[in-house]
Amino acid sequence: MTKDDGSVALQAPGVTSADLREQFLEASDECNAALPAIPVPESDAELQQFYVSWTDIHSCLVDAGYDIDAPPSYQAFVDEYRAGNGSDAPYFLIADSTAREQAMAACPKNPDSWW
């Protein structure tokens, strides 16, 4: 089946978009349940360690050639985090999703650190 934009839409007989969405959500829930909980910094010391991890990834991205904004100061980082606006890593400073995926591969999070 060809869509109006010329791309090809794959469709299985009798499978609706709602079915696919439900299957995706179920599979996503199963995968997320198998992962360890995302650590949440609770003390000032943990938040400091989280910031160091964040800036380590930022430095790696800059060293890998990504043109991204300078890291925030520690206080700005804390303020954004406590306001619920912070990100767990600086990858989202990269607008293009393909480049972001490449950056995540080039500068992966340390599984033994904050992520």
Side-chain angles (χ1 to χ4, degrees):
M1 169 186 218
T2 304
K3 295 194 241 178
D4 292 338
D5 65 1
S7 63
V8 176
L10 300 177
Q11 189 172 13
V15 178
T16 67
S17 293
D19 293 335
L20 293 175
R21 182 177 186 281
E22 187 63 31
Q23 290 172 8
F24 170 78
L25 292 174
E26 287 175 11
S28 180
D29 288 345
E30 285 179 34
C31 287
N32 287 331
L35 294 172
I38 295 174
V40 177
E42 295 177 8
S43 69
D44 288 341
E46 289 176 341
L47 196 50
Q48 175 68 36
Q49 184 182 10
F50 182 51
Y51 176 73
V52 168
S53 176
W54 197 97
T55 56
D56 286 348
I57 295 170
H58 184 280
S59 294
C60 178
L61 294 172
V62 170
D63 291 347
Y66 291 95
D67 184 22
I68 54 178
D69 293 339
S73 68
Y74 175 69
Q75 190 57 54
F77 181 85
V78 169
D79 292 345
E80 285 295 306
Y81 178 81
R82 289 189 173 143
N85 300 324
S87 70
D88 65 341
Y91 305 119
F92 292 98
L93 296 173
I94 302 168
D96 179 79
S97 62
T98 301
R100 189 179 318 122
E101 288 179 23
Q102 293 168 345
M104 292 169 106
C107 299
K109 294 178 185 177
N110 178 348
D112 296 324
S113 183
W114 290 100
W115 54 275

